Amino acid sequence: MPFRPDPDWLQPQPLERASALPAPFYTDADAAAQEIRRVFAGSWQLVAHAAQLREPGDHIVDEIAGVPVVLMRGDDGTLRGFHNVCRHRAGPLAWCNGRGARALRCRYHGWTYTLDGQLRNAPEMDSAQDFDTAQVQLPRIAVDTWQGLVFAALAPETSLAELLGGVAARLQGHDLPALVYSHRDSYEIGCNWKVYVDNYLEGYHVPHIHPELNRLLDYRSYRTEVAAWYSLQWSPLENSGNFYGQGDALYYFIWPNTMLNILPGRLQTNRVVALAPDRCRVDFDYYYPVQPDEAEQQRRRQDQQFSDAVQQEDVDICLAVQKRLACGSYLAGRLCPRRESGVHHFHELLRRAWREP
Ligand code: FES
Ligand SMILES: [Fe+2]
């Protein structure tokens, strides 16, 4: 059934009077289908680190708003993105990530494209009339890089520089491009992707859900700042004996589904991928400085164990919330202006996306 939200649900709301986004946005199958177009087709998605695409022919496959895509470093050193969909009969050009490819050859009938997406060779097509390989190109997508992180978008409504404007200036003392990709942990979670994002966007739950994390952060000085397309939660690290050392913990949310978690000496990125109305996957990528010594190795193990423990606490509460959003008991509750301005900011961007015709 088509999802047609009550127009009152989509009106902008001042923070002091705001309620959460109503429950059907988190449970309805057609709402989830519309979101692919309303939210994901026009927004930047974090896809890779530039180091994974250093040399000509290095490539990464992904999917954005349901479209298989491939990012490719060209012979001229330019990073480009294409639909990973052959123009013959929709075969796949690349199955998986790879290094140093000389061309993109379709797996179905062998049509071959250059690294900049131009059809070069189509076997046995000589008797096809009015067929000219020069007229066949793979559709392009937008690709851009920020602080070593590679983002892609099908049809972006902003530039990447506008999306992230002001973030770099806040990162004194954090040299993100110097960090090296370590590994990915993925979590598949039985909740709508927005349940996970909402939970990320507030520290209101930290004293209740995360007792260990609460000891590490200074809840009283925990702050949320909002910009046009992102919000920042930050807190000084409280306990000087902790394994992260001194400094700030910076938690950036970038519209619509990217998180940058920046602590002294490490970056962890999260991308929340919508899989179904009640299912999402969160990819955690870890980045650290080069040349770990034994103490640094130990610190990394502690970082990952601690992140994993906090993540399990978040997963448990997200599952419980998804069940209750779907049970018919609840529509939308009031937000806490002091602690949930990040949630409000996200919901305002969602309401805006839903007001589009
Ligand atoms: S679908 Fe690609 S060559 Fe046939
Ligand atoms: Fe949490």
Side-chain angles (χ1 to χ4, degrees):
M1 215 163 45
F3 178 70
R4 290 207 187 80
D6 182 329
D8 285 349
W9 293 354
L10 304 182
Q11 292 310 307
Q13 300 183 2
L15 175 61
E16 289 69 25
R17 312 192 65 84
S19 293
L21 198 68
F25 287 93
Y26 295 81
T27 58
D28 187 275
D30 185 59
Q34 288 191 48
E35 256 176 1
I36 292 173
R37 178 170 49 79
R38 293 180 176 279
V39 174
F40 292 104
S43 58
W44 288 95
Q45 299 291 303
L46 175 60
V47 171
H49 192 270
Q52 295 170 272
L53 294 156
R54 212 189 300 276
E55 303 296 333
D58 292 354
H59 55 280
I60 298 277
V61 297
D62 207 321
E63 190 175 306
I64 299 179
V67 179
V69 299
V70 55
L71 273 60
M72 174 69 78
R73 179 76 65 186
D75 290 314
D76 59 355
T78 303
L79 194 53
R80 299 182 180 85
F82 308 104
H83 292 202
N84 188 4
V85 182
C86 181
R87 307 333 283 170
H88 173 222
R89 281 181 34 234
L93 302 162
W95 287 119
C96 57
N97 301 346
R99 296 276 189 186
R102 298 309 310 145
L104 275 165
R105 178 176 293 111
C106 179
R107 303 299 165 132
Y108 202 175
H109 314 96
W111 285 24
T112 302
Y113 301 79
T114 62
L115 299 187
D116 54 7
Q118 171 64 52
L119 183 61
R120 191 175 68 194
N121 180 33
E124 302 185 67
M125 286 290 289
D126 45 301
S127 55
Q129 292 180 5
D130 292 327
F131 175 77
D132 179 5
T133 55
Q135 300 300 316
V136 180
Q137 284 105 23
L138 298 173
R140 294 279 291 271
I141 65 169
V143 179
D144 205 352
T145 303
W146 177 89
Q147 301 270 320
L149 301 175
V150 179
F151 290 77
L154 295 187
E157 54 184 343
T158 63
S159 67
L160 188 65
E162 182 190 337
L163 183 78
L164 292 157
V167 176
R170 184 73 170 72
L171 298 180
Q172 314 92 338
H174 299 279
D175 187 5
L176 299 192
L179 301 178
V180 176
Y181 175 69
S182 161
H183 68 284
R184 170 173 293 183
D185 287 341
S186 289
Y187 301 84
E188 217 174 292
I189 310 172
C191 71
N192 184 274
W193 69 280
K194 300 186 296 300
V195 169
Y196 187 86
V197 174
D198 289 350
N199 176 70
Y200 175 90
L201 283 171
E202 43 89 0
Y204 201 21
H205 73 273
V206 169
H208 308 283
I209 298 290
H210 307 299
E212 291 292 325
L213 179 62
N214 195 40
R215 273 193 280 283
L216 188 68
L217 300 175
D218 180 356
Y219 184 73
R220 281 154 304 149
S221 54
Y222 195 99
R223 291 281 177 277
T224 302
E225 300 166 14
V226 304
W229 296 105
Y230 62 84
S231 60
L232 166 65
Q233 301 171 81
W234 66 276
S235 161
L237 293 169
E238 173 83 325
N239 183 343
S240 58
N242 82 77
F243 56 88
Y244 290 114
Q246 298 284 20
D248 288 343
L250 304 173
Y251 302 103
Y252 278 100
F253 162 74
I254 317 293
W255 166 259
N257 63 337
T258 301
M259 291 94 163
L260 309 177
N261 303 315
I262 302 165
L263 273 73
R266 78 100 148 121
L267 164 69
Q268 180 207 76
T269 64
N270 311 147
R271 175 178 171 198
V272 187
V273 181
L275 300 175
D278 59 355
R279 211 155 49 85
C280 66
R281 189 188 72 240
V282 190
D283 294 333
F284 280 51
D285 286 348
Y286 288 86
Y287 297 86
Y288 297 103
V290 270
Q291 301 292 356
D293 54 19
E294 188 41 49
E296 170 64 17
Q297 299 273 25
Q298 172 68 9
R299 215 170 71 103
R300 291 182 189 185
R301 281 191 292 273
Q302 286 178 305
D303 178 31
Q304 286 151 28
Q305 279 167 12
F306 187 65
S307 293
D308 191 62
V310 170
Q311 173 69 354
Q312 288 308 330
E313 293 164 349
D314 282 324
V315 166
D316 290 346
I317 194 66
C318 287
L319 294 175
V321 166
Q322 181 70 32
K323 181 177 170 64
R324 284 156 180 79
L325 287 170
C327 79
S329 156
Y330 167 97
L331 184 63
R334 288 295 299 270
L335 295 178
C336 172
R338 194 190 301 281
R339 292 289 180 184
E340 295 181 297
S341 56
V343 178
H344 172 251
H345 170 260
F346 176 49
H347 290 187
E348 284 293 294
L349 288 172
L350 287 163
R351 281 190 276 267
R352 181 177 167 283
W354 277 92
R355 285 195 299 269
E356 302 281 322

